[in-house]
Structure formats: structure tokens, C-alpha cells
């Protein structure tokens, strides 16, 4: 059985949601952040050398990193659900959004959170981090425009790419001013919050504070 090593207030919530969408039995082992540093406890290093979450164990396999975990679960247990057929344009788009979430969208959001939390230099924030956030969430309304093309990120069918993309968008949605001018992102978030599997994942994993979520 899959064991989700679940750090409170973290991206591992998406793994629980994916498992609930697929109807897969799983266990949760809970870990709590240090209240001062907000870092994961040292005990997570017993699961994976980096001591970070999300990470899952499944028999002899230990899988870390959100994208890799999602790919592993969908390919091994999904039976064709939440993924598009290989060799199609839709599959390429699916793969793009699956990796865009952590590869491009999340880094500036995490840097912004860390710099704000620890009071680091405003010049770095204003000169690099803020422009990067605007690049993805403001300039040309990139994500807003993409969601204007279809109900979900890869067309009219909900996929694991939507689960992966949920986290950066929910972080951005904390800023009421920003989200109020982006109806497509707002509607996307409302749709995912209405999904029964999303609600079940929150019940099992606990609610979390997107404004203070760091890996």
C-alpha cells in the first residue's frame, strides 16, 4: 500500500487529492513543521535523504518530487485515468503543465515567501522575484489566457495536470486583488474546491495555509 509521508501545510496535499480522485487505498504518516523555521523535521530524512515532502513509499519504491510522484501513481495505478493518450498533442500539453507547475511557476513564489518571511533584501525581491511572478501571473495574463481556451488546462477533461497546477494558483489566489481581475483562474479554483475528492483529501490531510506554504 502507498504511504504518503505528509508534511503539514505542504504540497503533499496534492498527492492525497490524486489518490482520492483515483480511489486508491493509502496510508498517511504525518510530520509537523518546526514552528520557528517552518522547515520539515529531521525524521523525514529517514524516508528520503533530502528530508522534504512530498514523498511516498510503495513497497520497495521511494518516490520524491511532486511531478515524479504524480507520474508514478498515474502510470502504475491510474488505468488510463487523469492522463491523455501518448503521442497526441494533448499529451504533450498535459506533460507541459505537469512540469510547468514546479519548474516555472513555483520557484518565484517560494523565493518571494522566503524573502518576505525572513526579511531579506528588498532589492532582490523587486529586481528579480517580483518580475518573475509578474511574468507568469501578470504580464499578458499567461495562465488566465490559457484557461480561457478550455475548462481545464488540457481541454475539457480533468487531468492530473490540473492537480499539479492547483497549488501555485491557490497561492496566488491569496492575493484578493490579483485574483479578482482573473475570472478564469478564480473559476478554476472554485471548480477544484467543489470536487468531492479534493474535499476528502482535505479531511484526511488537514487544511493548510497557502500564504505560508514552503517545501
Amino acid at each position: 500500500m502507498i504511504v504518503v509521508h505528509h508534511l503539514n501545510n505542504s504540497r503533499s496535499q496534492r498527492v492525497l487529492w490524486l489518490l482520492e480522485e483515483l480511489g486508491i487505498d493509502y496510508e498517511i504518516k504525518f510530520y509537523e513543521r518546526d514552528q520557528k523555521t517552518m522547515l520539515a523535521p529531521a525524521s523525514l530524512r529517514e524516508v528520503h535523504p533530502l528530508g522534504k515532502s512530498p514523498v511516498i513509499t510503495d513497497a520497495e519504491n521511494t518516490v520524491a518530487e511532486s511531478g515524479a510522484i504524480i507520474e508514478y501513481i498515474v502510470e502504475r495505478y491510474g488505468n488510463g485515468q487523469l492522463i491523455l493518450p501518448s503521442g497526441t498533442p494533448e499529451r504533450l500539453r498535459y506533460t507541459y503543465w505537469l512540469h510547468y507547475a514546479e519548474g516555472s511557476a513555483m520557484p518565484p513564489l517560494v523565493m518571494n515567501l522566503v524573502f518576505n518571511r525572513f526579511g531579506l533584501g528588498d532589492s532582490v525581491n523587486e529586481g528579480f522575484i517580483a518580475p518573475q511572478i509578474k511574468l507568469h501571473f501578470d504580464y499578458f495574463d499567461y495562465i488566465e489566457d490559457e484557461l480561457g481556451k478550455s475548462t481545464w488546462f488540457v481541454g475539457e477533461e480533468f487531468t492530473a495536470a490540473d492537480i499539479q497546477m492547483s497549488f501555485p494558483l491557490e497561492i496566488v489566489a491569496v492575493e484578493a486583488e490579483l485574483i479578482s481581475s482573473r475570472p478564469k483562474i478564480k473559476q478554476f479554483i472554485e471548480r477544484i474546491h467543489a470536487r468531492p475528492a479534493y474535499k476528502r483529501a482535505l479531511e484526511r490531510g488537514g487544511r493548510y495555509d497557502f500564504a505560508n506554504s514552503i517545501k
Side-chain angles (χ1 to χ4, degrees), residues 141-153 156 162 169 173 178-192:
D141 288 323
Y142 176 56
I143 296 176
E144 178 76 7
D145 288 346
E146 289 296 311
L147 281 173
K149 297 176 182 178
S150 55
T151 302
W152 302 106
F153 275 97
E156 298 308 310
D162 297 297
L169 295 189
L178 183 64
I179 201 65
S180 65
S181 63
R182 286 156 181 83
K184 297 301 181 184
I185 293 177
K186 186 175 183 226
Q187 290 162 15
F188 172 85
I189 292 171
E190 289 170 350
R191 285 195 298 273
I192 65 174

Side-chain angles (χ1 to χ4, degrees), residues 133-207:
I133 291 174
K134 286 184 178 181
L135 175 65
H136 296 285
F137 299 101
D138 194 354
Y139 292 154
F140 310 116
D141 288 323
Y142 176 56
I143 296 176
E144 178 76 7
D145 288 346
E146 289 296 311
L147 281 173
K149 297 176 182 178
S150 55
T151 302
W152 302 106
F153 275 97
V154 196
E156 298 308 310
E157 182 179 348
F158 176 81
T159 71
D162 297 297
I163 294 176
Q164 184 75 324
M165 279 298 298
S166 67
F167 202 87
L169 295 189
E170 289 187 288
I171 290 177
V172 170
V174 171
E175 300 292 337
E177 244 179 66
L178 183 64
I179 201 65
S180 65
S181 63
R182 286 156 181 83
K184 297 301 181 184
I185 293 177
K186 186 175 183 226
Q187 290 162 15
F188 172 85
I189 292 171
E190 289 170 350
R191 285 195 298 273
I192 65 174
H193 286 178
R195 294 183 73 84
Y198 181 97
K199 296 176 182 178
R200 291 195 301 270
L202 284 182
E203 289 171 1
R204 291 199 62 178
R207 294 191 173 274

Side-chain angles (χ1 to χ4, degrees), residues 76-177:
R76 184 157 184 168
Y77 297 104
N79 295 316
Q81 300 177 77
L82 304 185
I83 193 170
L84 281 303
S86 60
T88 63
E90 291 77 17
R91 178 62 170 269
L92 183 60
R93 186 170 170 81
Y94 164 89
T95 302
Y96 170 76
W97 288 114
L98 191 67
H99 295 284
Y100 170 89
E102 291 294 324
S104 293
M106 279 303 299
L109 294 175
V110 172
M111 284 190 287
N112 183 60
L113 179 62
V114 171
F115 270 64
N116 288 338
R117 176 181 295 280
F118 296 105
L120 302 176
D122 289 339
S123 61
V124 176
N125 199 345
E126 293 175 5
F128 176 73
I129 299 173
Q132 283 297 307
I133 291 174
K134 286 184 178 181
L135 175 65
H136 296 285
F137 299 101
D138 194 354
Y139 292 154
F140 310 116
D141 288 323
Y142 176 56
I143 296 176
E144 178 76 7
D145 288 346
E146 289 296 311
L147 281 173
K149 297 176 182 178
S150 55
T151 302
W152 302 106
F153 275 97
V154 196
E156 298 308 310
E157 182 179 348
F158 176 81
T159 71
D162 297 297
I163 294 176
Q164 184 75 324
M165 279 298 298
S166 67
F167 202 87
L169 295 189
E170 289 187 288
I171 290 177
V172 170
V174 171
E175 300 292 337
E177 244 179 66

